[in-house]
Amino acid sequence: MSTSPTPPTRHWDPPAPGHDPTRQWGTSPTPPGPKGKRRGPILLAATIGVALLVTTGFVANGGTPDSRPAPTPATTPSPGPADPPDDGLGGGSEVPEPAPTPEREPEPEPATVEIPELSGINRAGAEQILADYGIKATIRYRSTDQYPAGTVISQSPKAGALVLPDTTVSLVVAKTPPPPPPPSTAPPPPETTPAQCDPSYPDVCLDPAVEDYDCAGGSGNGPRYVEGPIRVLPPDPFDLDREGDGVGCENG
């Protein structure tokens, strides 16, 4: 390949005395440079060099064009569901587990109270003792002459039992029994037997063994007499109801 010869460098002589370069060359005292070279051969040489480089690269790659796939343009991912905000723990989308709830301590059980012995104490004293222990009392009375009136006979629950406050204890308190009824002063009625009284005369007892009864104040001669009026039932063996109206001795 031929190259363009380099033009020789031209040397300038120093100016002669009294010579004004400005007048000769204008405002610039610098002498003009060499004339411009021809660009045609230079451009042709550059074009041939580029073609050789391309040809050399094509042969080095096996005579085939570059088979590498073209880069895929970056795609913008489609928006998905929003991730939960970062909680600062490095979990990102993970939801932190809730803190465990502290267990409540069991409440202490209330203290129990031992029931005292109340038998033989009067009612007011027993109620006051129970009140001091925070226990209520209910009262029942029983008639007896074995204990003084107003004295506690028994209790439920019994003494020594352990109970909670506000428990109710039942007390049985003695009371004076009522006095016995007074003896009767009326004489007892005479005892008679059915065999001694005739059933025809229910208001009076007429002995059927007597010979005859007549109305007192009448004309009969006895030997026994009856004060009337009295009820008479058949068969009227002493004939005291002569009118037959069920009443005898109406007029005496």
Side-chain angles (χ1 to χ4, degrees), residues 72-88:
T72 304
T75 58
T76 303
S78 59
D83 293 334
D86 190 359
D87 55 4

Side-chain angles (χ1 to χ4, degrees), residues 124-137:
E127 289 179 333
Q128 183 60 48
I129 293 174
L130 292 178
D132 294 341
Y133 281 91
I135 302 175
K136 302 176 183 179

Side-chain angles (χ1 to χ4, degrees), residues 48-158:
I48 295 173
V50 171
L52 290 175
L53 290 176
V54 172
T55 304
T56 304
F58 179 78
V59 174
N61 290 333
T64 57
D66 191 1
S67 60
R68 289 178 297 174
T72 304
T75 58
T76 303
S78 59
D83 293 334
D86 190 359
D87 55 4
L89 301 178
S93 61
E94 296 182 358
V95 179
E97 296 182 358
T101 304
E103 296 182 358
R104 296 181 57 184
E105 297 183 358
E107 298 181 358
E109 297 182 358
T112 57
V113 179
E114 182 178 352
I115 297 180
E117 178 63 55
L118 302 174
S119 298
I121 304 176
N122 60 58
R123 170 189 170 182
E127 289 179 333
Q128 183 60 48
I129 293 174
L130 292 178
D132 294 341
Y133 281 91
I135 302 175
K136 302 176 183 179
T138 58
I139 307 299
R140 293 188 300 112
Y141 291 94
R142 179 183 299 173
S143 298
T144 179
D145 55 359
Q146 298 179 356
Y147 300 91
T151 303
V152 177
I153 301 174
S154 62
Q155 63 188 72
S156 179
K158 296 182 179 181

